[in-house]
Amino acid sequence: MNLEKLKDVETEFLLQYPSGFQDAKFFPTMKKFDPSKLEIFTKENLKKSNFFNPNLVVDAFFKIIQKSALVSLFDKLKFRDMKDSLTSYEKDMLSIELFELIHGNQKNGFEGLVEFLAQYSLAKWTIISVILYYNDRQVEYFIKPTTTKNIIKYFEIKDLVYKPTPSFEFYDSYKKVLNEMKKNVDKSLHPDNAVFTGFLRIGMED
């Protein structure tokens, strides 16, 4: 990681917005992006006790995707078609993978969810990472492909190669890099993890 570039981006951003994302100039933008309600919905509907009912879990997964401003309309429509086609057995399998991802072995759940969604051409970074992000916005990251590729290139992150098919190995390694980057910038720039990667995107564009 090129720490000098990161500090330059931080300096330029804070010159424009001295209070970070709390700056009055940024209020209109931040009001449009308010993930807190969907975080509450995700935590409530994907809590452990709900997984005895796969229908409930799959419905919640569907609603999170539909409500999220981070997922494209095209993928929302494809996800709806998938949900409508699922058998009871397939809903059971999907809920098992979601349980592992959120409450069990994250690696197994991640890989299992990729395998399941691949059948419907929905094994995408946005679909998988958005669930992780809304369930824990301070720990997990939303992976937007273009932003991710640009961050790796701009900040000269070595030994990390982005691929369109999601993999836990990449996610885990990328998360460690982003966590290290967070440690080196002002706290006002990462009220949550999607906002932090948004700061990096804005900084690179400027």
Side-chain angles (χ1 to χ4, degrees):
M1 173 188 59
N2 189 320
L3 184 58
E4 185 177 344
K5 279 189 175 182
L6 178 62
K7 298 305 289 184
D8 285 345
V9 165
E10 176 191 29
T11 299
E12 289 296 320
F13 189 89
L14 291 176
L15 281 173
Q16 283 187 276
Y17 309 104
S19 301
F21 288 95
Q22 298 299 317
D23 197 285
K25 295 178 185 177
F26 235 102
F27 285 165
T29 303
M30 292 306 292
K31 283 181 179 179
K32 291 179 183 178
F33 179 71
D34 182 11
S36 58
K37 289 182 180 179
L38 202 44
E39 179 184 34
I40 293 168
F41 179 88
T42 302
K43 287 179 179 293
E44 177 59 30
N45 287 274
L46 295 183
K47 60 187 178 184
K48 279 187 178 182
S49 59
N50 282 4
F51 278 83
F52 75 93
N53 187 338
N55 285 322
L56 189 66
V57 169
V58 172
D59 283 345
F61 187 19
F62 170 73
K63 288 175 181 175
I64 293 162
I65 297 299
Q66 296 302 310
K67 290 173 182 287
S68 175
L70 300 172
V71 178
S72 73
L73 177 60
F74 176 74
D75 285 340
K76 289 178 180 181
L77 294 174
K78 286 186 68 176
F79 198 93
R80 181 196 62 192
D81 292 342
M82 179 199 76
K83 176 182 174 292
D84 291 344
S85 73
L86 294 178
T87 64
S88 295
Y89 173 76
E90 288 167 333
K91 288 181 179 180
D92 286 348
M93 294 301 99
L94 178 54
S95 68
I96 288 170
E97 304 302 352
L98 285 168
F99 181 87
E100 284 298 316
L101 182 71
I102 296 171
H103 301 294
N105 184 307
Q106 190 180 73
K107 181 178 186 293
N108 291 345
F110 194 106
E111 293 174 348
L113 193 56
V114 169
E115 185 177 350
F116 184 95
L117 294 175
Q119 303 171 79
Y120 306 92
S121 301
L122 281 168
K124 299 185 176 184
W125 280 109
T126 49
I127 297 290
I128 293 169
S129 66
V130 81
I131 294 297
L132 286 166
Y133 165 69
Y134 282 124
N135 192 63
D136 198 336
R137 295 188 294 128
Q138 305 301 325
V139 172
E140 308 295 350
Y141 288 87
F142 174 71
I143 306 298
K144 187 174 182 180
T146 302
T147 300
T148 300
K149 287 184 283 187
N150 289 341
I151 287 172
I152 291 170
K153 182 179 180 180
Y154 186 85
F155 293 103
E156 302 170 25
I157 299 169
K158 307 299 183 184
D159 304 319
L160 198 57
V161 180
Y162 170 86
K163 293 182 180 179
T165 301
S167 72
F168 181 78
E169 285 74 19
F170 177 89
Y171 179 74
D172 190 51
S173 297
Y174 185 49
K175 185 164 72 168
K176 288 174 182 174
V177 171
L178 291 174
N179 285 340
E180 188 62 31
M181 293 174 83
K182 277 170 60 177
K183 292 177 184 177
N184 285 282
V185 299
D186 191 85
K187 289 183 178 181
S188 67
L189 302 177
H190 49 87
D192 90 354
N193 284 344
V195 174
F196 175 63
T197 54
F199 148 69
L200 295 177
R201 177 180 58 78
I202 293 167
M204 290 185 295
E205 290 173 352
D206 290 347

